Amino acid sequence: MIRALIATMLLAVTLSLGAASAAIAGAPEPRAAVDLDRLMGRWNEIYRTPNKRQNACVTAYQVWSRQKEAFTVVQHCVRANGRVGTFDTTARDIDPDKHAKFEASFLGGLLKNRYWVLDHDKDYSWMIASTADGKYVSILARTTTLPEPERTALLARAADMGLNTAKLQNVEPKR
């Protein structure tokens, strides 16, 4: 429990530093508006930028749910031994025009970071998201796996937006 709390605090500090650099470095702008109701539900990670918080995760998914004006996002980390750890955060929409930018609060609001939904398909079957500075990129889908041509197309789409895809790891469950 203490180890998990320390890991959570370290992640939050790391993410906060990333948010600070976003103001300096700039970030890709979201391509399309987001329908917040359609964003809710389960999103499976297909690709992600390696990070300390998810180092032990062989795969991961997050579940978004609406809570009045905010959102709860529960990140699930599936480890090699089958155990699942969770990390909860609260997010709020900070983009009244496109609803594609969110500020997440960690540790009861002590630390915050910003995340963008940069692109998604019209059916909300996949999305490309990142931290506001573009440093931590994720490609997520409603399904646990994607066919190779679709994965390749999404990586190209993310690269076309200026995101660094060279570091992305495929974290789909093994087929």
Side-chain angles (χ1 to χ4, degrees):
M1 180 74 170
I2 292 176
R3 190 183 309 169
L5 180 60
I6 291 170
T8 299
M9 289 172 51
L10 288 174
L11 172 68
V13 169
T14 302
L15 294 175
S16 293
L17 292 174
S21 68
I24 298 167
E29 283 298 311
R31 288 189 169 175
V34 171
D35 178 337
L36 295 175
D37 290 328
R38 295 187 75 192
L39 188 64
M40 299 303 113
R42 181 174 168 150
W43 289 96
N44 301 285
E45 286 189 354
I46 304 299
Y47 287 97
R48 74 165 166 255
T49 304
N51 62 77
K52 290 179 182 177
R53 173 75 175 119
Q54 293 180 300
N55 211 19
C57 305
V58 292
T59 190
Y61 63 94
Q62 49 189 250
V63 178
W64 287 62
S65 59
R66 217 166 175 148
Q67 305 294 325
K68 296 182 183 175
E69 297 300 314
F71 310 93
T72 298
V73 182
V74 181
Q75 178 76 32
H76 299 261
C77 167
V78 182
R79 295 181 175 88
N81 65 6
R83 294 183 68 190
V84 178
T86 61
F87 180 78
D88 299 7
T89 187
T90 301
R92 66 180 181 86
D93 179 9
I94 59 170
D95 180 11
D97 295 327
K98 289 188 176 180
H99 307 292
K101 297 179 180 181
F102 302 91
E103 183 174 78
S105 297
F106 303 90
L107 303 173
L110 183 61
L111 299 171
K112 297 179 181 186
N113 197 19
R114 293 183 172 191
Y115 299 90
W116 291 183
V117 175
L118 296 170
D119 202 3
H120 61 83
D121 76 329
K122 62 180 175 44
D123 296 326
Y124 287 77
S125 65
W126 59 261
M127 78 164 134
I128 299 171
S130 78
T131 49
D133 60 1
K135 184 176 179 183
Y136 292 96
V137 178
S138 296
I139 296 177
L140 303 108
R142 296 294 189 174
T143 57
T144 57
T145 62
L146 292 175
E148 177 62 34
E150 192 169 359
R151 287 194 319 264
T152 301
L154 286 171
L155 284 173
R157 195 173 186 112
D160 182 53
M161 293 186 338
L163 298 169
N164 182 355
T165 58
K167 294 181 181 181
L168 291 180
Q169 296 175 326
N170 183 309
V171 293
E172 294 173 293
K174 303 303 177 223
R175 297 174 190 217

